[in-house]
Amino acid sequence: CFKMQEAAEHNMKMHPMWQGPLTVPGGDHQSPIDIVVRKSVFDSELKPLVIDYDPKTCQQIWNNGYSFLVEYDDTTDKSTLKGGPLQDTYRLCQFHFHWGESNAWGSEHTVDRRLFPAELHLVHWNSDKYSLFEEAVMEENGLAVIGVFLKVGKRHEGLQKLVDALPAIRHKSSVVEFNRFDAACLLPTNTDDYWTYHGSLTTPPLTESVSWIVMKQHIEVSHDQLAVFRSLLFTSAEEEVQKSMVNNFRVQQSLCGRTVRSSFT
Ligand SMILES: NS(=O)(=O)c1ccc(S(=O)(=O)c2ccccc2)s1
Ligand SMILES: [Zn+2]
């Protein structure tokens, strides 16, 4: 996915506005949304997800000015997602999180209006149809993002390696090498139960190219682990006023007649 330079330039274009309730002009397939459980439709055709991540493809972790991203080498089909609602094979390119300033809110999607303190997004692009991430971003069936809710509870052992790397990327545009991280350790034990709908990126360019797959089962992280997320900064080392990286989520968008399907009854 995006390399450092493009994303840094890209970030300049995105930063000032991304938090607003901005939607693309006429965009009626925007994300995130509130998932109204009783209105979701069970679809027996939905298959189990096939998630196959290779920890060796993990490359770096960096602060892009509104979240922190763990980026993977997506030049080959080494870390892939298929099955579920997807017709093609999608390559993992990065994962990141959204969180609040308190444990009372922070997630982007909600379930029957219930907010979670944070949400993980694992971003994949359709490598059967496109040769580059940047192409896939603009296309209808270009991206697939897995959303996982985080709840505050017991410490997440797998997450700790990532939490320990965060102080090194406190400021915007800082990056450190990050290898052999198995993103699969962040998935809930049950990945067969999920909601899926067609939506968009939740930050500019807000393109409506995402097959969203939101896990029913959350993962647990400790209060202290989440507090380290909040120690990150939106601002670069040069800026005189440092701003805590918190509340980096978009407000819920209207469903506009879309159906949310569930893989479970
Ligand atoms: N929160 S989200 O999962 O919807 C999301 C927002 C942005 C991205 S991206 O970094 O892949 C990206 C994609 C296209 C252009 C720039 C960045 S993924
Ligand atoms: Zn996201």
Side-chain angles (χ1 to χ4, degrees):
C1 53
F2 269 179
K3 295 296 160 271
M4 279 298 287
Q5 189 42 43
E6 288 121 286
E9 284 152 21
H10 173 85
N11 177 30
M12 289 316 293
K13 288 198 298 293
M14 286 165 83
H15 188 65
M17 63 181 179
W18 87 274
Q19 272 198 339
L22 183 107
T23 56
V24 286
D28 53 5
H29 281 197
Q30 290 290 291
S31 295
I33 58 168
D34 175 46
I35 296 167
V36 182
V37 175
R38 71 185 185 292
K39 288 189 180 169
S40 64
V41 177
F42 170 64
D43 180 348
S44 58
E45 304 277 301
L46 286 172
K47 301 178 183 56
L49 292 172
V50 180
I51 302 172
D52 181 13
Y53 294 155
D54 177 354
K56 290 195 294 304
T57 56
C58 186
Q59 288 186 318
Q60 68 246 350
I61 184 171
W62 65 292
N63 177 331
N64 70 352
Y66 44 86
S67 184
F68 64 91
L69 311 186
V70 176
E71 283 195 332
Y72 284 75
D73 166 18
D74 59 357
T75 53
T76 64
D77 262 353
K78 279 250 185 66
S79 289
T80 55
L81 164 66
K82 47 187 193 239
L86 307 172
Q87 309 305 322
D88 298 317
T89 297
Y90 289 66
R91 253 178 226 171
L92 174 67
C93 78
Q94 54 103 327
F95 69 79
H96 62 276
F97 297 80
H98 303 263
W99 61 90
E101 65 194 280
S102 89
N103 292 339
W105 65 82
S107 61
E108 296 211 303
H109 290 90
T110 50
V111 180
D112 289 343
R113 293 280 167 214
R114 176 184 177 191
L115 287 155
F116 291 83
E119 186 173 332
L120 158 66
H121 288 159
L122 295 138
V123 183
H124 312 74
W125 57 276
N126 188 330
S127 54
D128 279 351
K129 286 207 163 51
Y130 310 107
S131 48
L132 280 175
F133 169 79
E134 286 76 358
E135 283 167 36
V137 170
M138 310 313 284
E139 302 299 331
E140 180 95 12
N141 51 14
L143 301 180
V145 182
I146 295 176
V148 181
F149 295 116
L150 275 64
K151 263 187 76 177
V152 175
K154 63 182 187 307
R155 181 181 140 108
H156 192 295
E157 291 312 324
L159 185 75
Q160 195 54 38
K161 178 177 178 200
L162 193 151
V163 167
D164 290 339
L166 296 185
I169 57 162
R170 265 194 98 210
H171 290 101
K172 180 167 82 172
S173 305
S174 43
V175 58
V176 289
E177 195 176 347
F178 195 67
N179 299 127
R180 281 183 314 288
F181 184 82
D182 180 11
C185 82
L186 297 176
L187 294 167
T189 46
N190 169 11
T191 58
D192 290 344
D193 293 356
Y194 57 82
W195 295 282
T196 183
Y197 76 99
H198 188 261
S200 74
L201 295 171
T202 65
T203 62
L206 301 169
T207 40
E208 298 180 343
S209 54
V210 182
S211 295
W212 277 97
I213 299 165
V214 179
M215 292 293 148
K216 180 186 172 201
Q217 191 180 53
H218 61 266
I219 60 170
E220 274 192 27
V221 302
S222 71
H223 176 88
D224 291 354
Q225 288 177 315
L226 215 39
V228 180
F229 283 23
R230 300 187 186 108
S231 72
L232 292 171
L233 299 168
F234 279 129
T235 43
S236 57
E238 297 75 40
E239 294 175 67
E240 53 283 358
V241 179
Q242 300 293 338
K243 286 184 222 118
S244 289
M245 184 180 277
V246 291
N247 301 330
N248 56 355
F249 54 83
R250 189 189 192 196
V251 293
Q252 271 99 35
Q253 304 294 307
S254 46
L255 200 51
C256 297
R258 286 174 283 179
T259 299
V260 176
R261 292 180 289 159
S262 67
S263 67
F264 61 97
T265 52

